[in-house]
């Protein structure tokens, strides 16, 4: 175990969980996969590496249960939810939130937003 873990520190400063869940065609809630989530997740992972964000982990997630709002992701430890529909949205989350510590209000989802 690394010393920062034994002293109560975080192994990663941020974890980003990107939903790539796929529902059957025609599901009324839709799904993140059909909205390009896998491509956006892959782009985010590559860009995070290019930016040197070694203390940020980009993870694939199953259903985050906000399918109709997708593609969705959640950033921990803050628990901030985003809807990111484009590479520009991903770039803004990476630079503003994950590098500079400023969440991107225009992309954030509220706790009960529908």
């Amino acid at each position: 175990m690394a010393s920062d873990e034994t002293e109560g520190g975080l192994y990663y400063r941020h974890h980003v969980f990107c939903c790539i869940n796929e529902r059957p065609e025609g599901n009324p809630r839709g799904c993140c996969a059909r909205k390009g989530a896998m491509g956006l997740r892959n782009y985010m992972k590559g860009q995070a590496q290019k930016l040197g964000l070694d203390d940020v982990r980009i993870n694939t997630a199953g259903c985050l249960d906000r399918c109709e709002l997708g593609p969705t992701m959640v950033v921990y430890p803050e628990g901030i939810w985003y809807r990111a529909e484009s590479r520009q949205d991903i770039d803004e989350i990476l630079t503003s939130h994950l590098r500079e510590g400023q969440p991107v209000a225009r992309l954030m989802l509220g706790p009960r937003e529908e």
Side-chain angles (χ1 to χ4, degrees):
M1 202 179 279
S3 64
D4 60 342
E5 290 178 279
T6 59
E7 295 170 9
L10 300 175
Y11 188 75
Y12 290 109
R13 187 171 48 91
H14 291 288
H15 262 98
V16 182
F17 293 94
C18 303
C19 179
I20 61 160
N21 189 59
E22 187 168 0
R23 292 179 183 269
E25 185 75 41
N27 186 292
R29 290 188 69 198
C31 69
C32 292
R34 296 193 196 284
K35 297 173 186 173
M38 181 60 97
L40 291 170
R41 180 256 179 217
N42 292 343
Y43 176 78
M44 184 177 224
K45 186 169 183 154
Q47 290 300 102
Q49 290 172 344
K50 286 181 185 176
L51 291 170
L53 297 173
D54 299 330
D55 57 353
V56 173
R57 178 76 179 167
I58 311 298
N59 286 95
T60 298
C63 186
L64 295 174
D65 201 30
R66 299 185 90 178
C67 312
E68 62 280 357
L69 303 173
T72 60
M73 61 183 62
V74 60
V75 178
Y76 287 106
E78 300 97 323
I80 294 177
W81 289 75
Y82 287 113
R83 175 182 185 168
E85 299 179 277
S86 68
R87 288 181 171 203
Q88 292 78 20
D89 292 345
I90 297 294
D91 289 338
E92 193 170 354
I93 293 166
L94 285 167
T95 56
S96 182
H97 186 158
L98 300 176
R99 186 173 63 190
E100 298 168 9
Q102 298 297 316
V104 183
R106 72 174 190 84
L107 298 174
M108 289 172 60
L109 297 173
R112 297 285 177 229
E113 191 166 331
E114 297 183 29

